[in-house]
Amino acid sequence: MTTTATLGISGLTPDQLTAWVEGQGQPPYRARQIADAVWKDGGVIDAATIRVLPGSLREALARDFRLDTVADTEIRLADAGATEKALHRLDDGALIESVLMHYPARGASRERHTLCISSQAGCAVGCPFCATGELGAGRDLEVAEIVDQARHAQRRLAVGGSHLTNVVFMGMGEPLLNLDRVLAAIEALNDPRRFGLGARHITVSTSGVVPGIRRLTALGPQFTLAISIHAARDALRDVLVPLNRRWPVAEVVAAARDHARATGRRITYEVTMIGGVNDTELDALAMADLLRGDHAHVNLIPMNPVAHTPWQASPMAVIERFATTLRDAGISTTIRRNRGQEVGAACGQLAAERAGEMPAPAVARRRKRLEEESAAALRGERSHEPIPVGVGE
Ligand code: SAH
Ligand code: SF4
């Protein structure tokens, strides 16, 4: 299901925009003028303000396109202003979030402004520790709805003379299950004539959609790939990332290796550390065996609290031991704290407060099932539940 409103202008390729301009009986250079207005410093949100265009063309633009698809946005600050959570209400009422994180210059590295963006309003994968997974399958975002999150952030940054330096697809949704639109959005973000962000500064995070990873690699540029691995053993990963029943972890890692080979880029593996579930020495050793010798980096992230799960973050001492096991195997590893927890804006755990209260018996049943499944997984038994609906193609 997608929105039926008029198209967002930032979703058009340069060729499509030129074709539209010609269809209006206007010379092609007008397309360049429109593109400048749409993309420069995050662009304008009202066609009437593009003064270089004749009035009739401004009116036609306003009639045929939305200049901004995330116009209805509310911003909340956290971490003393270093984190900005934006809540975007889309035209059909769907709510999505993006998170802008500011990192000051340190030593030789320049200041960075990283935006975490959403690709779907909800997620069909249903990882049990994830707030977006709680919402279930939502709709796929349009190309413009994805890109306009970045334009919105860039407009805010432009006020202080700054620029967005990185975009990560770690907000709501599984980007590679909205594949065509996400790939088109990535191209728009990367295109020097449009958003103009270097490929290395665009990170796609996936729970392991193997054909999607291969399509991303085939695009050519050096996009950064992050794999939400969470567990190296299939029995446990089946529970934590239900998509694992469709594409087991070894296939995911093989596709990631091919991406590293083709692009020369190091793969980032994300592990949400869940106390007593995926943080055991057995799991650290399994991960070390799986990734040993790879061009890879592992990020260990303490789980953010999410309603309706029986789980907590692993204690820091346990995370440090896990990191040591990986480092002893020669795997570069860092421990990362999530930003924006006080406004529920940690990347990958958005939308929690809107999921609504589940009835108490349902919560109790769900917790019990998760406890049983994860206990079985610790014993090494694979789950035999069917693949979740909508992710089995
Ligand atoms: N669907 C994609 C991208 C969005 S999730 C994916 O899964 O990779 C972005 C990241 O946030 C993932 O690594 C995800 O596992 C992580 N995440 C989700 N819920 C979390 C939580 N409660 N605490 C910490 N990290 C979480
Ligand atoms: Fe979807 Fe990623 Fe959340 Fe899993 S962690 S439910 S794939 S958004």
Side-chain angles (χ1 to χ4, degrees), residues 123-127 129-133 171-174 207 228 230 240-241 348:
C123 184
V125 180
C127 306
F129 53 84
C130 171
T132 309
M172 295 164 66
E174 168 46 57
S207 55
S228 295
H230 307 309
L240 297 183
V241 188

Side-chain angles (χ1 to χ4, degrees), residues 123 127 129-131 169-175 205-207 226 228 230 270 272 301-306 338 347-349:
C123 184
C127 306
F129 53 84
C130 171
F169 282 80
M170 291 188 184
M172 295 164 66
E174 168 46 57
S205 175
T206 180
S207 55
S228 295
H230 307 309
E270 312 271 325
T272 296
I301 305 147
M303 188 189 104
N304 284 300
V306 170
N338 252 323
C347 255
Q349 81 123 48

Side-chain angles (χ1 to χ4, degrees), residues 340-351:
Q341 284 180 321
E342 69 207 71
V343 287
C347 255
Q349 81 123 48
L350 306 170

